[in-house]
Amino acid sequence: MIYDFCVIGAGIVGLATAVEILRRSPDASIAVLEKEDGVGQHQTGRNSGVIHAGIYYKPGSLKADLCRRGAEATRQFCLQHSIPFETRGKLVVATSESQLPALAKLAVNGRANGVPLEIIGSQEMREREPNVAGAGAILVADSGIVDFSAICTALANLVRAQGGEIFLGAAIHLIREEGALVTVGSVDRRWQARRLVVCAGLQSDRMAHLGGLKVEHRIIPFRGEYYSVVPAKRTLVHHMIYPVPDPALPFLGIHLTPMIDGGLTVGPNAVLGLAREGYSRFSANARDMIDTAAFPGFWRLARKFGRSGIAEVRYSVSKSLYLEQCRKLCPHLLEEDLTPRPAGIRAQAVTRQGELIHDFLFLETSRMLHVCNAPSPAATSALPIAELIVDRMMRK
């Protein structure tokens, strides 16, 4: 069979793309290929579960627009498909007086993005969150929480209900574009399609290389380690509690997040991963380590952010140091309150010059579109990101 479309990757972006294709072309045939035995097994299912409002991103940028539209689209999707979510709100907390100017600057940025927010003083902050310490905060009332894995499952169900096929356990080893068709192959099967979209996340650079494209960047994995707060202290906070972020880094810092299942988590940190898909504490993969070490952009990045990287490693190996970061926001937490939780791994695209790629990165041919970087908050923004991808694909 020759499919009209093939999508590699059944994370939230890949599945949203398949749904968007079928929305625009209901009669199209489509195959979604996923190497794992379920959907949303990597970045989609291993994050904080936050529906971001969009205060962090450069005003007027594509990221800011997609986040704002994505937050609303995510809520509407959840309502349509009976997926639980809560609009808890977020507090971005200045833990000292010295952080108040940065907090004010962040508020200006958020307002420029059209995000409703309010700067509150320490007294009002304590009235809202008695267990949180700080000199002031930004209240972002529209931020929410959800289980993105549940959204992924609903998207997969939509694909199947509209006649699309999802093939699990399909690890791709061949991508070849010839004439009017693209052939995609696993160890034991071949698929042919007129157009291919690749949303491979942590493996996106390798899939692009496999497809014969010139790949100048590299995916560097950053491991985010979380802890769960013991049940007796899950009600310590109601809002999501975030620190003021370092504008030089793409990570938002260790934060407290109520989960839609009733739990409370702290994290993540951001330490260099020794395996792109190694989630246990001491996971290492020789190929992944060699790929990272052989890439000149990694060493240039390490020179720029070496001090921050060492600090993150210290938080990783020392629970007490990790706790210190948590206690800056919530002094009532004790070491025995934190129990290990599965880690997540972020696919960070890096240039050969050692620059972090903060924006979208697409590599294309006449019949292929590779999504090589779908930056955070990709889960929040997945539905409008899919529109963007399909717009580009349909122009071919």
Side-chain angles (χ1 to χ4, degrees):
M1 176 179 179
I2 297 175
Y3 293 90
D4 294 313
F5 296 91
C6 180
V7 177
I8 295 176
I12 194 169
V13 174
L15 289 169
T17 299
V19 168
E20 180 64 16
I21 289 170
L22 290 169
R23 185 185 72 80
R24 299 191 196 188
S25 303
D27 296 328
S29 57
I30 187 166
V32 179
L33 312 180
E34 169 56 50
K35 68 184 178 65
E36 306 298 346
D37 59 4
V39 302
Q41 297 293 297
H42 294 290
Q43 293 181 104
T44 300
R46 294 174 178 270
N47 57 48
S48 297
V50 175
I51 304 172
H52 289 281
I55 69 169
Y56 301 106
Y57 314 114
K58 183 179 178 181
S61 67
L62 186 59
K63 283 176 68 172
D65 176 60
L66 290 172
C67 183
R68 188 172 57 253
R69 291 197 288 123
E72 179 58 27
T74 297
R75 287 190 286 265
Q76 290 302 316
F77 186 88
C78 290
L79 290 171
Q80 292 165 9
H81 296 277
S82 301
I83 298 171
F85 73 96
E86 296 180 28
T87 306
R88 290 283 190 104
K90 174 191 295 184
L91 288 177
V92 182
V93 178
T95 57
S96 66
E97 296 282 341
S98 64
Q99 290 186 338
L100 290 176
L103 191 76
K105 186 176 181 180
L106 182 61
V108 171
N109 193 87
R111 287 179 176 132
N113 285 336
V115 178
L117 57 84
E118 179 184 356
I119 295 181
I120 61 176
S122 58
Q123 182 175 343
E124 183 177 350
M125 187 187 72
R126 284 193 298 270
E127 290 171 358
R128 292 177 176 272
E129 292 287 357
N131 297 311
V132 173
I138 296 173
L139 171 63
V140 187
D142 284 348
S143 295
I145 55 174
V146 74
D147 180 357
F148 284 110
S149 293
I151 294 177
C152 228
T153 298
L155 289 167
N157 290 339
L158 281 176
V159 172
R160 294 185 177 107
Q162 295 176 68
E165 297 180 76
I166 299 177
F167 297 88
L168 302 176
I172 302 306
H173 300 286
L174 168 72
I175 300 175
R176 185 175 65 242
E177 181 178 358
E178 294 179 323
L181 297 176
V182 180
T183 300
V184 178
S186 65
V187 171
D188 57 359
R189 180 154 184 181
R190 297 285 187 274
W191 295 265
Q192 288 187 309
R194 295 179 177 86
R195 293 177 182 173
L196 172 69
V197 182
V198 182
C199 303
L202 287 156
Q203 306 295 340
S204 59
D205 54 340
R206 291 171 176 169
M207 287 293 105
H209 180 76
L210 191 64
L213 286 86
K214 186 177 182 181
V215 182
E216 297 289 346
H217 70 286
R218 186 67 50 85
I219 294 296
I220 305 295
F222 282 90
R223 177 183 170 83
E225 295 163 328
Y226 295 85
Y227 287 93
S228 292
V229 177
V230 295
K233 289 193 173 180
R234 285 179 178 173
T235 57
L236 271 177
V237 299
H238 174 79
H239 298 77
M240 290 156 274
I241 310 298
Y242 278 66
V244 177
D246 182 343
L249 298 173
F251 311 110
L252 297 179
I254 292 173
H255 46 271
L256 287 82
T257 309
M259 306 298 284
I260 199 67
D261 63 4
L264 176 65
T265 67
V266 296
N269 59 352
V271 66
L272 177 68
L274 300 181
R276 294 195 185 192
E277 298 175 5
Y279 298 105
S280 60
R281 187 168 180 80
F282 299 107
S283 292
N285 179 283
R287 180 190 180 191
D288 294 343
M289 289 190 292
I290 291 169
D291 274 359
T292 296
F295 184 59
F298 165 71
W299 297 105
R300 292 171 179 141
L301 180 72
R303 283 195 291 272
K304 293 178 187 177
F305 298 113
R307 182 175 297 179
S308 297
I310 290 170
E312 294 294 331
V313 170
R314 292 173 67 224
Y315 303 150
S316 177
V317 299
S318 171
K319 186 177 180 181
S320 62
L321 291 177
Y322 193 110
L323 178 66
E324 282 183 14
Q325 300 303 305
C326 303
R327 284 173 59 86
K328 289 179 181 179
L329 295 169
C330 186
H332 296 273
L333 284 171
L334 304 174
E335 190 164 339
E336 58 265 29
D337 295 332
L338 306 184
T339 60
R341 182 181 178 87
I345 298 177
R346 173 174 174 156
Q348 178 61 58
V350 178
T351 69
R352 295 184 69 85
Q353 292 71 40
E355 300 293 334
L356 300 170
I357 299 177
H358 296 292
D359 211 341
F360 291 86
L361 176 62
F362 301 103
L363 294 178
E364 303 178 58
T365 69
S366 60
R367 295 195 173 272
M368 293 192 294
L369 188 151
H370 289 252
V371 183
C372 290
N373 195 48
S376 177
T380 297
S381 306
L383 296 173
I385 288 173
E387 295 176 6
L388 174 69
I389 292 169
V390 178
D391 284 345
R392 295 180 73 105
M393 175 58 70
M394 292 300 189
R395 289 201 296 265
K396 293 184 181 299

